[in-house]
């Protein structure tokens, strides 16, 4: 098989999930190599990745010897392989979808470090501060605004990379005790996203793994 995707431990690797989702959504066949990124083996395993991929991180997609690293590049490449259906045809809408993807990719907010992906699989959580709660709610409000503008059912109309890139964020934020009910469009969209077959497949495996302790 020509395509090999190096992903990470499924309950610890939100970037790998972002790369994996568009490949699955587009039914692109690929072989998956899960790299154990838990400490301490993480260091030796990622050093092996660094032998062929400059950043020494996952995800990495290898297509017939060509190395495509960084989740954003993999998402874009998957979309192109799949005929471009995961980005809008209209140029402005496409740019807007890419802005949402870029926002997530460049860190989005402090929330990503305070509510780690790993911790979304824990049974118990440290309560959020008032500031963190307000920040979670502001993300819900942004989703609501985007969905109201597009008319749904997804952030820019049809399913796109913008929706897929938020999947780990949805997982993180919904794992905490903050109600999304005040934002009905956002609530319906998060339910739509987490019940997608691709997301269910990843999460089923992630939930079966022993929890990975993060620095939360
Ligand atoms: N900007 C990168 C971030 C990738 C990343 O941080 N991956 C984690 C696992 S989810 C990793 O491999 N970290 C090891 C490292 O950065 O050394 C991307 O989007 O692919």
């Amino acid at each position: 098989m020509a395509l090999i995707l190096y992903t990470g431990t499924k309950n610890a690797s939100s970037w790998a999930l972002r790369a994996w989702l568009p490949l699955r959504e587009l039914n692109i066949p690929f072989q998956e190599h899960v790299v154990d990124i838990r400490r301490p083996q993480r260091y030796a395993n990622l050093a092996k990745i660094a032998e062929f991929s400059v950043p020494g991180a996952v995800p990495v997609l290898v297509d017939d010897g060509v190395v495509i690293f960084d989740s954003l590049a993999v998402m874009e490449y998957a979309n192109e392989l799949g005929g471009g259906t995961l980005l809008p045809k209209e140029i402005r809408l496409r740019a807007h979808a890419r802005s949402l993807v870029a926002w997530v990719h460049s860190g989005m907010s402090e929330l990503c470090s305070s509510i780690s992906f790993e911790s979304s699989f824990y049974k118990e959580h440290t309560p959020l501060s008032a500031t963190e709660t307000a920040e979670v709610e502001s993300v819900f409000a942004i989703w609501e605004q985007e969905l109201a503008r597009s008319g749904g059912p997804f952030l820019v109309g049809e399913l796109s990379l913008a929706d897929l890139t938020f999947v780990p964020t949805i997982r993180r934020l919904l794992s905490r005790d903050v109600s999304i009910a005040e934002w009905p469009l956002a609530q319906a969209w998060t339910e739509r996203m987490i019940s997608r077959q691709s997301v269910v497949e990843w999460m089923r495996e992630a939930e079966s793994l022993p929890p990975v302790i993060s620095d939360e």
Side-chain angles (χ1 to χ4, degrees), residues 8 12-16 37 42 46 55-59 69-72 105:
S13 195
S14 61
W15 296 112
I37 61 163
R42 168 189 188 90
L46 290 172
V58 288
F69 55 81
D70 198 292
S71 59
L72 184 55
H105 195 260

Side-chain angles (χ1 to χ4, degrees), residues 95-143:
H96 186 64
R98 284 194 165 118
S99 297
L100 292 169
V101 177
W103 184 43
V104 172
H105 195 260
S106 58
M108 199 179 133
S109 78
E110 293 300 311
L111 283 175
C112 290
S113 49
S114 59
I115 307 179
S116 69
F117 186 62
E118 291 91 320
S119 74
S120 75
F121 296 92
Y122 301 168
K123 293 210 169 6
E124 286 173 16
H125 298 108
T126 320
L128 294 182
S129 67
T131 312
E132 287 167 338
T133 302
E135 232 187 303
V136 171
E137 290 176 343
S138 76
V139 175
F140 293 163
I142 290 164
W143 289 339

Side-chain angles (χ1 to χ4, degrees), residues 21-28 75 78-83 85-86:
L21 281 171
L23 289 165
R24 260 292 183 278
E25 284 287 340
L26 293 164
N27 293 316
I28 297 168
M75 291 180 87
N79 179 51
E80 288 191 20
L81 284 179
T85 53
L86 286 178

Side-chain angles (χ1 to χ4, degrees), residues 7 16 32 45 57 86 91-92 114 116-117 120 126 131 140 160 167 172 190 202 213:
T7 61
E32 184 179 0
N45 291 344
L86 286 178
I91 186 171
R92 290 178 198 83
S114 59
S116 69
F117 186 62
S120 75
T126 320
T131 312
F140 293 163
S160 76
V167 167
R172 282 180 167 112
T190 57
W202 179 286
I213 303 307

